[in-house]
Amino acid sequence: MKTPLNFGWKFVSGFRDEYLKRLPSGSVSVDIPHAPLVEPVSYFNEQSYQGLWTYEKTFDAPGFDPTRQAAFLTFEGVMLKVHPYLNGDDLGERVSGWVPVRYDIASSLRERGNRLLVVVDSREDPEIPPFGKAVDYLTFAGIYRPVRLDLVPLAHIGSLHASASMDGRLKIEAEAVGPAEGASLSFALFEGGELIKRFSEKETTIDHPDLWSVSEPNLYTLTATLVSPYGKDERSIRIGFRDAAFDKKGFSLNGKKTKLIGLNRHQNYPYVGPALPAGAQRDDAEILKLKLGTNVVRTSHYPQSEAFLDRCDELGLMVIDEVPGWQYVGKDKAWRDNYYYFLRAMVEKERDHPSLIAYGIRIDESADEDELYQKANDYVHKADPSRATLGVRNFKGSSILEDVYAYNDFSCCGREHGIDDPKTWRAKGHATLVSEHNGHMYPTKQYSGSVRRLEQALRHARVIDDAFKFGDLSGVIGWCAFDYNTHQDFGSGDHICHHGVYDIFRAPKAAAYVYASQNSSTPVMWVANPPVTGDNDEALLKPLVVFTNCDYVELFRGAEFVEAFRPDEKGYPHMPHPPIFIDDFIGRTFKEGDIPPKAAAKIKKALNLVGQTGMAHLGVKNLLPYIPTILRRRLSMERLVALYYKYMSGWGEKAVIWTVRGYRDHQPVIEKRFGPSVRFSYRYDASSQNLNNGDTYDVSRVTIKFVDEFGTTLHYCSRVISFETKGPIEVIGPTSVALLGGDVSVYVRSKKTDRREEARLIVKTDLGDYPIDFTVE
């Protein structure tokens, strides 16, 4: 029997010996997951959360009988070290960080009135990875993943693992613990609640299984049952029948070659670091798969929440995990022992997820450490031979001990070059994968100018195009999905690395639509640089860049049709859906009776060139193709200037309304309008309006955007909004915030309730109050 222990804890900063008997009167009530400090989203001192913290929980264990039952206490994630005391018994300090720790508590547990005291040490310890040198991410503090009590018969199932192949073969590893006399172990396989097979062998075959894939992530439930004189113990895991294989020709899933296109993810949320429950973890997976359309995520640089991985299983989002670390490898025995500890715990924790396709066993971007990594590689191959091993480095010609040679390729410094040819890596015939690209090479904020937001997006597009150019490359995984907090040594000086295609509040930047346009089944069309001339140097009207999966788009100036534009297959010949460049703002609107069509075509090109380049930057070489036409038609400078202002809507002229319309199969499917902003409003969206208190409290991400009458997010808006709540909910973090880049999100959590209740978040703005209703169960 599993009993969650996540509601109704007491908490106090620091630790003193007298807390072993009683917490001070200043203790506060908290729920798990919990962050000891609610930090600002930026500009804070990471030393503030590095310390000791004390938690207390009282609970009952009804019916517990130590002569017939075993009892275990599991912490899924505590940053960094956990030291529990149960009913005065010292259970010992252990390292948790990113992996679960389990205590045998049968000798200390009572049926009633158990007092659990937990001391958390969140100080960065140089003997524990990733510490020992500067680290480009924060680890934060507290009991940030769920806690549970397990009561099982004395004879019980200690571990259960399985590997399932696309041909229907199922191999099971199940360990029975405790008195073996009279015990029998059997298995049952279910799909969607329907029994598929009962059996007692640890190897069996299923005829024609429904395969787990990116498009159809079919899941089965394997249940092991151990019956003994001490009772019945059951344990279940979800599995998927699939084959995932890397070789020098690339990656294949179920025998089909598949290009991996994805992003790295840090488990970092505003104000509380990683300390958010399953709802937020699932939401991140849904953003990656359903909104961005990626097919793989790398859990940089540590094992991540089971709730996140579970949702990846359900969505068909493949996962590459990674052992904790970053660049530094300690030489002392304690550091290296902790590295191996994390590696073993990661494999034990994650090996049953069908979404997991490879283990990242090398410290990210570390130097060659052949002895260390050969031992790790051998261990993983023996513990789970069904998956590949992968090593990430940031230099070429590295030792290659793992199955996959992964390389952080940051050679993209503009639009012309994406990644180096993998042949230059000297991967010695191994599978190759770009494990990081872009990121710190071009940090971009949500409130950066449109030119910078566009440039970040085009750099990601160039890398994705190169991924398809190099056919034998397994894929590319960008740095990164979401902006994240970092140490003072990194980032933009504000304790944030603005490297994501989404910001830390989970608002998409232009680069997000590069990914979304490649795989989404629904129409995607994002104009990355709206036609606002004043946002460009010299008030130029630069070509519009559209990230879309439409066949083509049409541009309208007011009600007039300008021209149709198709994907730039010449500039981006390999990616599924190249961007579209709208570089003609005159098109068919040009109507001058004294200028025939052939000459008109030249004049239109000249006017567009001036509008996009500026007269000051036009050399004679640029103008040469158009001078003969101008001379033949005897067009004066005054006439040319008049044509420019008439058709290009230049500086000093009234702005016009532009419309971009996307088409599939010659049918309009999506449209976006742009024009001068004169009417404004806020838009609101909640990831869920049903909050369910299960093992932990629940959360919803509420996004607030400031838009104009055309629905365009106004990136330079920083108005202040505030929040009020009614009913069993509360806001995580400050209740008054400024918009960043025209939008912001707030996480709303449920409070404990014994019945279904209604709740309301009231967003208070300069334009009035807006209520968002929730149901809490």
Side-chain angles (χ1 to χ4, degrees):
M1 181 178 69
K2 292 183 179 181
T3 302
L5 300 177
N6 297 307
F7 289 99
W9 288 71
K10 294 292 184 183
F11 169 78
V12 65
S13 299
F15 171 72
R16 296 179 180 179
D17 288 341
E18 54 261 36
Y19 295 174
L20 295 173
K21 294 183 178 180
R22 178 180 296 175
L23 288 191
S25 59
S27 63
V28 296
S29 179
V30 301
D31 299 323
I32 306 300
H34 177 254
L37 294 177
V38 176
E39 301 281 10
V41 73
S42 60
Y43 295 110
F44 60 91
N45 184 354
E46 65 261 24
Q47 296 294 324
S48 60
Y49 62 75
Q50 294 183 44
L52 299 178
W53 317 93
T54 306
Y55 294 80
E56 179 190 73
K57 170 73 175 173
T58 57
F59 65 94
D60 297 330
F64 173 63
D65 181 356
T67 66
R68 297 187 59 82
Q69 290 178 300
F72 300 96
L73 177 66
T74 300
F75 297 87
E76 291 191 16
V78 178
M79 192 59 67
L80 175 66
K81 290 179 277 191
V82 56
H83 194 161
Y85 300 81
L86 181 59
N87 298 324
D89 293 342
D90 185 345
L91 302 182
E93 184 180 71
R94 296 188 189 176
V95 175
S96 173
W98 304 268
V99 297
V101 292
R102 189 188 197 205
Y103 290 90
D104 184 338
I105 60 171
S107 62
S108 303
L109 189 65
R110 306 167 183 163
E111 274 197 82
R112 303 288 176 190
N114 292 284
R115 179 178 184 258
L116 174 63
L117 187 89
V118 181
V119 182
V120 174
D121 187 347
S122 297
R123 293 170 294 188
E124 297 181 358
D125 188 333
E127 292 189 341
I128 300 174
F131 307 116
K133 200 176 177 183
V135 181
D136 184 21
Y137 56 91
L138 298 183
T139 52
F140 294 96
I143 305 177
Y144 74 98
R145 289 180 186 165
V147 183
R148 73 174 186 270
L149 168 69
D150 292 312
L151 300 181
V152 295
L154 274 183
H156 58 274
I157 300 166
S159 63
L160 175 65
H161 300 293
S163 61
S165 305
M166 64 179 294
D167 61 5
R169 286 179 299 143
L170 176 61
K171 296 182 179 180
I172 301 170
E173 296 177 30
E175 177 191 19
V177 177
E181 186 176 351
S184 63
L185 181 64
S186 62
F187 306 98
L189 188 67
F190 300 86
E191 184 182 19
E194 179 184 350
L195 177 65
I196 302 300
K197 188 174 185 179
R198 292 191 186 277
F199 53 100
S200 57
E201 306 83 9
K202 291 186 178 179
E203 291 192 22
T204 190
T205 301
I206 306 302
D207 294 331
H208 310 295
D210 294 324
L211 300 183
W212 187 94
S213 68
V214 172
S215 58
E216 295 184 65
N218 295 296
L219 293 171
Y220 290 75
T221 299
L222 174 67
T223 298
T225 303
L226 182 68
V227 178
S228 76
Y230 296 92
K232 182 172 73 172
D233 185 33
E234 285 190 347
R235 187 164 177 177
S236 296
I237 57 173
R238 290 195 304 184
I239 62 171
F241 288 88
R242 94 290 183 274
D243 287 353
F246 289 88
D247 60 31
K248 63 181 181 180
K249 292 295 183 180
F251 171 77
S252 61
L253 182 65
N254 300 329
K256 181 181 178 181
K257 192 169 182 179
T258 302
K259 187 68 72 172
L260 299 174
I261 303 294
L263 291 159
N264 288 268
R265 181 223 185 207
H266 269 304
Q267 59 174 23
N268 189 171
Y269 299 93
Y271 314 121
V272 294
L276 285 182
Q281 310 296 332
R282 292 194 300 265
D283 182 46
D284 272 9
E286 289 164 6
I287 290 173
L288 284 158
K289 181 64 189 289
L290 303 180
K291 294 186 177 180
L292 285 164
T294 59
N295 61 14
V296 67
V297 58
R298 175 170 167 246
T299 62
S300 51
H301 300 288
Y302 38 76
Q304 298 187 5
S305 162
E306 284 297 292
F308 177 77
L309 298 177
D310 284 343
R311 193 66 180 125
C312 292
D313 292 340
E314 296 162 358
L315 292 169
L317 177 61
M318 293 179 283
V319 175
I320 295 172
D321 66 12
E322 187 168 53
V323 69
W326 192 72
Q327 293 191 345
Y328 172 76
V329 175
K331 299 299 182 182
D332 60 289
K333 184 177 184 300
W335 195 100
R336 296 164 97 86
D337 285 348
N338 279 316
Y339 160 79
Y340 288 126
Y341 160 73
F342 279 139
L343 179 74
R344 292 189 297 269
M346 179 179 74
V347 173
E348 177 69 19
K349 169 183 173 298
E350 304 188 348
R351 60 181 291 189
D352 296 309
H353 289 281
S355 57
L356 182 67
I357 59 172
Y359 294 107
I361 69 170
R362 179 179 174 129
I363 299 293
D364 180 72
E365 295 187 345
S366 61
D368 286 338
E369 288 277 353
D370 287 5
E371 181 181 357
L372 185 78
Y373 294 138
Q374 185 63 64
K375 182 179 176 181
N377 197 56
D378 292 345
Y379 167 78
V380 174
H381 279 157
K382 183 177 180 180
D384 183 9
S386 70
R387 288 179 174 85
T389 57
L390 177 146
V392 173
R393 66 274 291 154
N394 60 355
F395 59 97
K396 299 177 182 180
S398 166
S399 297
I400 174 65
L401 307 173
E402 308 84 11
D403 302 314
V404 182
Y405 188 106
Y407 175 56
N408 290 350
D409 187 333
F410 293 113
S411 62
C412 179
C413 295
R415 304 183 188 184
E416 303 306 316
H417 173 83
I419 55 175
D420 290 345
D421 188 334
K423 291 178 181 177
T424 68
W425 301 0
R426 302 193 297 279
K428 306 171 187 176
H430 283 70
T432 53
L433 174 76
V434 172
S435 39
E436 295 178 27
H437 62 82
N438 280 296
H440 70 279
M441 300 299 293
Y442 203 78
T444 302
K445 303 169 182 66
Q446 187 71 297
Y447 46 89
S448 295
S450 61
V451 173
R452 191 170 190 90
R453 298 196 307 270
L454 171 62
E455 178 68 18
Q456 183 202 30
L458 287 173
R459 291 184 181 205
H460 278 266
R462 176 56 64 202
V463 170
I464 291 173
D465 191 69
D466 278 359
F468 287 94
K469 177 174 73 174
F470 298 118
D472 293 343
L473 179 67
S474 296
V476 294
I477 305 177
W479 191 264
C480 56
F482 312 110
D483 292 349
Y484 58 96
N485 291 120
T486 190
H487 284 86
Q488 61 185 3
D489 317 278
F490 304 95
S492 296
D494 57 355
H495 280 78
I496 299 178
C497 281
H498 299 272
H499 301 168
V501 301
Y502 273 63
D503 70 12
I504 197 169
F505 291 101
R506 277 49 180 175
K509 305 174 191 177
Y513 295 93
V514 176
Y515 290 86
S517 63
Q518 300 310 300
N519 297 297
S520 177
S521 58
T522 58
V524 173
M525 188 184 74
W526 184 261
V527 180
N529 54 330
V532 181
T533 56
D535 204 24
N536 297 321
D537 293 347
E538 303 176 37
L540 301 176
L541 188 54
K542 295 285 189 178
L544 306 184
V545 182
V546 185
F547 300 113
T548 183
N549 53 12
C550 292
D551 300 331
Y552 62 94
V553 300
E554 291 181 345
L555 177 68
F556 295 81
R557 177 179 173 175
E560 287 189 278
F561 172 65
V562 177
E563 194 55 83
F565 301 88
R566 294 189 173 274
D568 183 13
E569 295 180 349
K570 181 178 180 181
Y572 299 81
H574 307 102
M575 63 196 303
H577 297 285
I580 293 175
F581 290 80
I582 296 177
D583 56 1
D584 181 0
F585 295 94
I586 303 173
R588 303 186 194 186
T589 68
F590 191 87
K591 297 183 177 95
E592 300 292 324
D594 61 331
I595 303 178
K598 188 174 181 180
K602 284 281 189 180
I603 299 301
K604 286 190 292 184
K605 285 186 177 180
L607 294 177
N608 276 297
L609 179 64
V610 172
Q612 296 165 20
T613 307
M615 283 296 297
H617 307 290
L618 285 175
V620 174
K621 184 178 180 181
N622 301 113
L623 294 173
L624 277 176
Y626 311 108
I627 290 175
T629 300
I630 293 171
L631 294 175
R632 279 195 300 268
R633 304 311 309 171
R634 298 182 179 180
L635 299 176
S636 66
M637 180 58 70
E638 290 78 10
R639 178 75 185 281
L640 290 171
V641 171
L643 289 173
Y644 179 82
Y645 280 107
K646 178 179 180 180
Y647 291 108
M648 291 298 292
S649 191
W651 184 255
E653 295 294 308
K654 276 193 171 185
V656 300
I657 295 176
W658 299 94
T659 302
V660 181
R661 186 176 297 154
Y663 290 78
R664 280 182 170 181
D665 298 324
H666 301 288
Q667 298 297 316
V669 293
I670 192 168
E671 181 176 293
K672 185 72 179 75
R673 300 171 73 217
F674 300 94
S677 302
V678 295
R679 295 191 303 276
F680 309 99
S681 62
Y682 291 89
R683 286 188 176 175
Y684 308 86
D685 180 63
S687 60
S688 174
Q689 289 180 257
N690 297 305
L691 298 174
N692 296 288
N693 287 321
D695 290 353
T696 69
Y697 59 88
D698 199 1
V699 294
S700 174
R701 176 175 49 85
V702 178
T703 300
I704 302 100
K705 292 182 180 292
F706 190 67
V707 300
D708 64 11
E709 60 266 46
F710 306 106
T712 302
T713 300
L714 304 176
H715 287 276
Y716 306 135
C717 176
S718 56
R719 296 186 183 184
V720 174
I721 60 176
S722 59
F723 309 103
E724 290 183 5
T725 59
K726 295 182 178 180
I729 60 172
E730 66 181 26
V731 168
I732 296 175
T735 55
S736 183
V737 298
L739 300 182
L740 290 174
D743 59 25
V744 75
S745 292
V746 59
Y747 285 91
V748 177
R749 61 151 290 183
S750 58
K751 294 181 181 180
K752 186 72 181 292
T753 179
D754 295 327
R755 56 188 173 85
R756 178 188 176 100
E757 292 190 57
E758 301 302 316
R760 173 170 286 185
L761 173 72
I762 302 170
V763 185
K764 304 179 78 67
T765 79
D766 57 301
L767 300 180
D769 296 351
Y770 187 88
I772 302 173
D773 292 324
F774 296 89
T775 299
V776 181
E777 300 192 58

